[in-house]
Amino acid sequence: MNIILLAPPAAGKGTQAELLENKYHLNHISTGELLRKSASREDDYGKKMRSLLESGELISDDIIFEVLNKHLETCENQNLLLDGFPRNIYQAERLEEMLKENNDKIDFVFLLDVPKETLKKRITGRRICEKCGSAYNVNIDSLKPKVDSICDQCQGKLYQRNDDNEKSFEVRYQEYLDKTSALITYYQNKQILYRIESDKDKEEVFQELCERIEKRGRNDNDKK
Ligand code: ADP
């Protein structure tokens, strides 16, 4: 089973990915996380990546595929849970070709739908575990860590991403509208897009995702 999580910035892709990964034993791949790992390098490459990420713009396709392919070489589990990838039509087409080579395909594309105003509120409260990548939100009761600045899962330290500020958010959101949202129609046409209203509790969203997976039921392709 291969799943794509498609969403604007801070809609909860990472949070839902972690829950889905555990329940369905998927190979969670976040291109954002892979890029942040590269950005943590103490050399010129790391420095360049940090400033690219902070700008909020999409990273070039060449860099994305370089980082992604390198990571895929280390993976055994072929059930992919793609978080933040693909982010434009070119990436989606390349992904399809890659899967086809293994007689594989995407089963579900979940669009996590959250209004911009909610995203803006979430962005400043988001905290990430530097060890395991789990996401929290200090502005939302149900997403707060049990102990201040410490990850519930692994006791790692929580940090705030450099691009989680209002200025970077505006650019990231515009990039989503300009480049990524085209994937909605792209996957609707392939009849694998499922729209999930995600302006609610993370458990409720998760429940809905699981129901969709288990039912493989009616999709949203006719709805819009
Ligand atoms: P979010 O969706 O919350 O903005 P991500 O962790 O998915 O965060 O991505 C962070 C940043 O990494 C994006 O703003 C973008 O610059 C870059 N990025 C991640 N995935 C891709 C991708 N597939 N293509 C281009 N840029 C990407």
Side-chain angles (χ1 to χ4, degrees):
M1 174 164 72
N2 296 307
I3 297 178
I4 292 173
L5 295 181
L6 180 63
K13 292 190 303 284
T15 304
Q16 295 303 324
E18 196 186 314
L19 296 167
L20 290 168
E21 178 186 15
N22 292 336
K23 177 156 177 165
Y24 296 104
H25 310 292
L26 301 166
N27 177 7
H28 173 201
I29 298 178
S30 155
T31 40
E33 266 308 303
L34 295 176
L35 294 168
R36 281 187 286 282
K37 226 175 251 167
S38 306
S40 67
R41 278 169 42 173
E42 284 305 332
D43 53 10
D44 284 351
Y45 184 81
K47 203 168 148 194
K48 186 179 143 209
M49 286 299 282
R50 283 197 290 282
S51 87
L52 284 175
L53 283 175
E54 199 170 343
S55 77
E57 286 173 26
L58 288 193
I59 304 294
S60 77
D61 293 328
D62 286 349
I63 295 180
I64 294 298
F65 282 101
E66 189 187 308
V67 171
L68 181 68
N69 288 333
K70 208 160 149 201
H71 178 72
L72 285 172
E73 282 169 19
T74 67
C75 297
E76 280 180 15
N77 184 348
Q78 296 303 317
N79 292 302
L80 302 178
L81 173 56
L82 297 168
D83 156 2
F85 175 86
R87 249 175 159 102
N88 57 36
I89 300 282
Y90 173 75
Q91 292 180 9
E93 289 174 345
R94 286 272 310 262
L95 170 67
E96 212 169 309
E97 286 164 18
M98 281 157 66
L99 291 172
K100 233 183 220 162
E101 281 169 20
N102 296 321
N103 286 324
D104 211 350
K105 62 172 179 30
I106 296 295
D107 297 285
F108 299 96
V109 178
F110 290 119
L111 171 64
L112 306 184
D113 214 0
V114 180
K116 185 178 178 191
E117 283 318 303
T118 308
L119 298 171
K120 243 175 151 174
K121 269 186 233 146
R122 286 186 188 177
I123 211 94
T124 52
R126 178 152 71 173
R127 300 291 181 274
I128 312 283
C129 173
E130 61 179 17
K131 225 161 124 191
C132 73
S134 295
Y136 296 86
N137 200 303
V138 296
N139 295 341
I140 301 168
D141 282 343
S142 61
L143 296 176
K144 277 183 185 162
K146 290 192 184 99
V147 180
D148 207 20
S149 304
I150 303 288
C151 176
D152 295 351
Q153 317 283 331
C154 74
Q155 279 68 57
K157 239 171 94 183
L158 303 185
Y159 75 97
Q160 182 168 26
R161 276 167 44 175
N162 288 339
D163 60 348
D164 275 352
N165 57 67
E166 286 201 26
K167 193 169 160 228
S168 299
F169 169 76
E170 287 297 338
V171 178
R172 285 155 66 197
Y173 192 77
Q174 198 54 45
E175 288 282 79
Y176 172 77
L177 294 182
D178 291 346
K179 296 168 185 164
T180 310
S181 66
L183 293 175
I184 299 173
T185 314
Y186 181 83
Y187 286 119
Q188 261 174 342
N189 289 339
K190 294 182 183 294
Q191 311 217 321
I192 51 174
L193 186 96
Y194 298 83
R195 191 183 293 262
I196 308 287
E197 299 302 332
S198 302
D199 189 7
K200 49 192 176 193
D201 203 80
K202 71 169 182 177
E203 294 301 338
E204 279 179 71
V205 176
F206 180 54
Q207 183 71 27
E208 206 171 310
L209 288 168
C210 295
E211 278 168 17
R212 292 285 187 147
I213 290 172
E214 279 154 37
K215 263 198 265 163
R216 287 190 172 246
R218 186 174 64 83
N219 61 38
D220 282 348
N221 298 297
D222 319 318
K223 259 196 193 169
K224 181 78 215 205

